Amino acid sequence: MEISQGGDDSYQKKFALPVDSEHKATEFRLFSVAAPHMRAFHLSWISFFACFVSTFAAPPLLPIIRDNLDLTATDIGNAGIAAVSGAVFARIAMGTACDLFGPRLASASLTLLTAPAVYCTSIANSAVSFLLVRFFTGFSLATFVSTQFWMSSMFSARVVGTANGVAGGWGNLGGGATQLIMPLVFDLIHHIGATKFTAWRIAFFIPALFQTLSAYGIFFLGQDLPDGNYSQLHKSGDKHKDNFAQVFHHAVTNYRGWILALTYGYCFGVELTIDNIIAQYFYDRFNVNLHTAGIIAASFGLANLFSRPGGGMLSDLMAKKFGMRGRLWTLWIVQTLGGVFCILLGKVGSLGVSIAVMLIFSVFVQAACGLTFGVVPFVSRRSLGIISGMTGGGGNVGAVLTQVIFFRGSRYSTETGLTLMGVMIICCTLLITLIHFPQWGGMFCGPASKSTTEEDYYMSEWNSAEKEQGFHKASLKFSENSRSERGKRIGSAPTPNNSTPDTYV
Amino acid sequence: MESYLLAVLSLATLSFADTCYGGVLFSTLPQTLAVSASPTDGQVLKAGEDNITVTWGLNQSFPDGTDSSYNEVKLMLCYGPISQADRGWRKTVDNLSKDKTCQFTIAHRTYMRETQNFTWMIERDVPTAVYFVRAYAYNSSRNEVAYGQTTDAKKSRNLFKVQAISGRHSSLDIASVCFSAFALLSVVGFMALEKRGRNSAEN
């Protein structure tokens, strides 16, 4: 990331939170809105929440929309796939946009550019127009990357995991909240006097307005970095711009990034798929009314309040005792269990048990998302932005794949689709066993050799010309800080050459 | 004697089995009602504007006592096969408690021997689809005991179409376009403000 050379002395700023040498906050105070750190946190999770609400506003109202627009099961499936496919590339592009323009401008612009798609959902009149509005609305999910990027700019390594986990989790909450909000808004408008086929159209103005307002909030109240906005800092020379080609190269040649991108598709991707299909599933299979189906579907997404942050915290906890190997094992176990409960969800036939299984399934699948982003920051230091974008994009690819294979048209009943999806989760999650860090090891193997260090791994991303110019210094700092990923055996290991023979956990 | 009683009791209990397990099977119902509706084959009607006049009564070719258990009659608007294709939420299932073929009630009346009719304004939430009309006769325990319909057994003849309302209004259209334009103009505004901020940082 950027190297800040402006020292504390040049800026006589007083921050509400304790900060480190880069002016990143070292504490995370949830109930504070102090500028710039906590304010950035609240602005970013609220706008990400708004984007999720808009993207999944259609599913709870599908029983009405499918009759109004004369949709078939295939049309509905295609629209659901379109909703999550746009963000695949948008998420990758967003990492670059944040680098160039800063997370504030990038996320405010994207949020506003996708708001018209939500407004225009009100005037959709066919399967094609419905698919198009869902496709363009789905681009807004790329704000995940700007959220994570912004948190990484504002919070130091000690608390960045928590900040990222809570911001990501509370944003994802939107996918659950919308299943409650939209049927309620629809009911209200219907009672006031609009017919069903008009009421759902009016209802879409609510998420659209929310999205517009959150973009305004980010632009006027937010700030890219603790010390100011990119536009100010670029000019004063405080921010150094890295070479995009090199950053891109180091991202795509790191196989761990690709594995995590795929496996994220089977926790986050599955979460998106369920957001799309679960309300209709309960409405059609168990004959509950629209309201009830919405509440049940909402509880799936609402578990994000604690389960994704919990996954992130669990990852940090396991790392304290067992290092990176602990993070990997926990991720594999939790995500596999998510697959097991998905299989069960398709099998149970009674409403009460189905809801219970769905809730357990939601906790595991969302915790796996948090656990994944406990590993991602360590895959690459130089290319963190693109690796995060790739992983995020991979999540959406998983959503596209699962919907195409299992939930489109009438080939499988929804319950069979759920069971088969659970099997696919378990199979794809096995790839985590292949992740190996030479300095820390993988699930089944220890480190490559006793003398392989964190510096060896992170310095391999810089060539000697760049090292001469001192661009690698931030990575060096990061290597030192990441020694905690060795687990209990860190002791006090200062330099690579003096490492004592360690007991491997 | 006891074994005979047991047999009778079990038969009596089993005869309720259908209703206990919630669901009369459509295939067990006799088609004793004669139903006709005003729309002709292939006619297109508009929801919220047009009417359907339905006439129903016992099919006179059946003997007199056939309708002794009929208590109520419900007339339903039912989906034709083409509107059920690839739409699992409109599926035809033999068990009537799970059947989703008929989702709109035209009329719900006490059964009378004489032929009755009713004119129904097609409601505004009826979707665009191909339909036929079916009548179910219920006994005093509210279970289906007979039916009649305007189409044949294969549901291929005498189907009519309803064109739904779009639900769109010009005020909604205008509001959507205006708000969208406002959002897009805001992005331009933000870029301009940002550029101005950068220029003033230079000075």
Side-chain angles (χ1 to χ4, degrees):
Chain A
M1 273 176 85
E2 61 277 5
I3 299 170
S4 176
Q5 276 144 13
D8 308 66
D9 309 56
S10 57
Y11 285 114
Q12 290 295 310
K13 280 196 170 189
K14 292 267 189 296
F15 293 106
L17 269 60
V19 296
D20 64 9
S21 58
E22 292 178 278
H23 294 169
K24 294 185 183 181
T26 54
E27 268 178 39
F28 180 78
R29 290 192 201 148
L30 195 56
F31 297 109
S32 153
V33 285
H37 308 96
M38 290 316 300
R39 189 175 293 186
F41 166 76
H42 288 292
L43 286 169
S44 68
W45 83 256
I46 288 175
S47 74
F48 186 39
F49 178 92
C51 293
F52 245 98
V53 168
S54 304
T55 306
F56 294 102
L61 297 182
L62 268 172
I64 314 289
I65 300 176
R66 68 192 180 193
D67 277 345
N68 193 183
L69 304 182
D70 200 17
L71 305 174
T72 61
T74 307
D75 294 331
I76 293 173
N78 286 341
I81 291 163
V84 294
S85 55
V88 172
F89 294 107
R91 284 181 161 206
I92 301 171
M94 193 59 154
T96 315
C98 285
D99 249 332
L100 296 174
F101 305 113
R104 171 179 151 266
L105 198 58
S107 76
S109 303
L110 180 68
T111 309
L112 277 175
L113 285 171
T114 47
V118 193
Y119 287 117
C120 290
T121 310
S122 308
I123 56 182
N125 61 358
S126 63
V128 173
S129 51
F130 182 64
L131 183 138
L132 283 172
V133 293
R134 286 211 73 189
F135 176 66
F136 287 113
T137 306
F139 276 73
S140 64
L141 290 186
T143 46
F144 166 73
V145 179
S146 58
T147 301
Q148 306 284 289
F149 192 102
W150 208 357
M151 293 302 97
S152 304
S153 309
M154 285 286 181
F155 293 90
S156 72
R158 267 198 322 154
V159 289
V160 77
T162 304
N164 273 337
V166 183
W170 286 13
N172 285 14
L173 212 58
T178 194
Q179 317 261 4
L180 276 176
I181 295 172
M182 293 307 283
L184 266 170
V185 171
F186 167 80
D187 261 345
L188 196 68
I189 300 173
H190 185 37
H191 271 130
I192 290 178
T195 56
K196 281 188 185 166
F197 290 172
T198 303
W200 76 264
R201 295 172 183 279
I202 301 176
F204 266 82
F205 275 82
I206 305 297
L209 283 167
F210 183 20
Q211 209 176 306
T212 311
L213 282 170
S214 70
Y216 267 76
I218 290 186
F219 184 79
F220 288 110
L221 299 173
Q223 193 176 297
D224 289 311
L225 293 162
D227 293 330
N229 285 320
Y230 271 34
S231 48
Q232 303 159 268
L233 300 175
H234 269 143
K235 285 303 156 189
S236 62
D238 277 356
K239 224 181 87 49
H240 148 260
K241 285 171 70 93
D242 202 347
N243 178 330
F244 174 70
Q246 283 291 315
V247 170
F248 186 75
H249 173 259
H250 286 292
V252 299
T253 51
N254 193 327
Y255 76 93
R256 301 168 196 83
W258 291 102
I259 292 182
L260 286 172
L262 185 86
T263 57
Y264 194 57
Y266 289 91
C267 54
F268 181 64
V270 162
E271 185 185 332
L272 292 182
T273 296
I274 299 279
D275 280 340
N276 259 337
I277 61 131
I278 201 75
Q280 254 199 128
Y281 172 67
F282 278 99
Y283 183 88
D284 291 330
R285 188 173 186 199
F286 299 105
N287 286 322
V288 296
N289 67 30
L290 203 68
H291 225 147
T292 312
I295 294 174
I296 299 172
S299 56
F300 175 83
L302 289 176
N304 263 305
L305 187 69
F306 56 84
S307 51
R308 184 175 176 136
M313 288 181 216
L314 180 64
S315 189
D316 287 344
L317 191 72
M318 296 319 256
K320 252 195 237 171
K321 291 175 100 168
F322 304 110
M324 175 55 69
R325 298 182 74 184
R327 290 191 197 264
L328 291 169
W329 267 102
T330 318
L331 171 58
W332 179 75
I333 291 173
V334 169
Q335 194 160 316
T336 303
L337 281 172
V340 169
F341 283 103
C342 189
I343 294 175
L344 266 177
L345 182 62
K347 295 270 184 215
V348 294
S350 84
L351 181 62
V353 182
S354 198
I355 296 175
V357 172
M358 185 200 71
L359 287 171
I360 303 175
F361 166 57
S362 71
V363 170
F364 278 99
V365 103
Q366 289 155 12
C369 296
L371 282 155
T372 304
F373 274 85
V375 175
V376 165
F378 297 100
V379 170
S380 163
R381 189 61 197 85
R382 186 174 188 182
S383 311
L384 173 63
I386 299 192
I387 294 270
S388 300
M390 268 167 67
T391 309
N396 283 61
V397 170
V400 170
L401 273 175
T402 48
Q403 284 180 91
V404 165
I405 300 172
F406 304 119
F407 300 108
R408 184 160 156 264
S410 307
R411 194 198 311 151
Y412 299 115
S413 66
T414 309
E415 49 266 32
T416 310
L418 284 168
T419 302
L420 292 175
M421 184 166 75
V423 175
M424 195 170 189
I425 295 173
I426 296 179
C427 294
C428 290
T429 306
L430 282 171
L431 284 167
I432 295 175
T433 53
L434 298 177
I435 297 182
H436 184 270
F437 287 89
Q439 71 275 36
W440 300 314
M443 272 173 70
F444 297 117
C445 307
S449 73
K450 285 191 187 180
S451 58
T452 316
T453 65
E454 290 75 11
E455 278 78 3
D456 295 334
Y457 182 76
Y458 291 111
M459 287 304 110
S460 65
E461 296 183 319
W462 302 93
N463 62 36
S464 36
E466 288 160 340
K467 283 187 199 168
E468 269 175 40
Q469 294 193 274
F471 293 157
H472 66 298
K473 293 222 178 97
S475 288
L476 210 55
K477 242 192 267 181
F478 182 77
S479 307
E480 278 176 49
N481 291 332
S482 69
R483 253 188 267 291
S484 53
E485 295 306 306
R486 294 188 185 188
K488 268 208 187 124
R489 49 192 184 92
I490 38 165
S492 56
T495 61
N497 296 327
N498 294 347
S499 55
T500 49
D502 299 308
T503 44
Y504 296 116
V505 184
Chain B
M1 184 58 183
E2 292 96 299
S3 58
Y4 175 74
L5 266 175
L6 193 62
V8 169
L9 271 173
S10 26
L11 268 173
T13 332
L14 283 173
S15 69
F16 289 124
D18 251 345
T19 52
C20 274
Y21 282 96
V24 178
L25 298 180
F26 182 71
S27 48
T28 61
L29 295 182
Q31 190 172 3
T32 60
L33 299 175
V35 187
S36 67
S38 53
T40 52
D41 191 24
Q43 186 180 356
V44 180
L45 301 162
K46 291 215 178 94
E49 283 178 35
D50 293 327
N51 299 324
I52 299 179
T53 305
V54 192
T55 312
W56 69 94
L58 183 69
N59 186 335
Q60 294 306 310
S61 54
F62 286 90
D64 263 354
T66 318
D67 57 354
S68 51
S69 59
Y70 300 1
N71 204 23
E72 290 172 343
V73 145
K74 224 197 238 183
L75 282 116
M76 316 276 292
L77 192 65
C78 308
Y79 291 107
I82 200 173
S83 295
Q84 293 176 293
D86 202 15
R87 293 177 178 88
W89 57 92
R90 294 181 186 168
K91 204 165 165 212
T92 296
V93 172
D94 203 25
N95 183 337
L96 283 173
S97 66
K98 297 207 164 105
D99 181 46
K100 304 251 174 95
T101 318
C102 307
Q103 295 187 14
F104 298 96
T105 307
I106 297 174
H108 190 176
R109 296 269 186 281
T110 331
Y111 175 77
M112 288 203 280
R113 181 148 297 171
E114 303 80 39
T115 307
Q116 295 181 277
N117 59 38
F118 177 66
T119 302
W120 182 65
M121 158 92 93
I122 304 176
E123 276 157 22
R124 303 180 79 208
D125 60 357
V126 172
T128 301
V130 163
Y131 295 95
F132 63 95
V133 177
R134 182 182 283 171
Y136 286 111
Y138 295 83
N139 62 16
S140 45
S141 348
R142 294 272 174 93
N143 293 316
E144 297 87 345
V145 285
Y147 81 100
Q149 61 191 25
T150 57
T151 184
D152 59 355
K154 285 211 180 92
K155 297 185 263 186
S156 56
R157 282 178 43 249
N158 211 18
L159 302 167
F160 57 93
K161 191 171 177 201
V162 170
Q163 185 65 42
I165 60 165
S166 74
R168 288 174 61 180
H169 290 280
S170 47
S171 52
L172 263 181
D173 293 354
I174 294 171
S176 290
V177 173
C178 286
F179 277 103
S180 302
F182 176 70
L184 292 171
L185 284 170
S186 301
V187 181
V188 177
F190 285 179
M191 301 281 190
L193 276 171
E194 203 61 8
K195 213 172 181 190
R196 213 192 311 159
R198 198 179 327 149
N199 290 338
S200 64
E202 272 178 31
N203 302 337

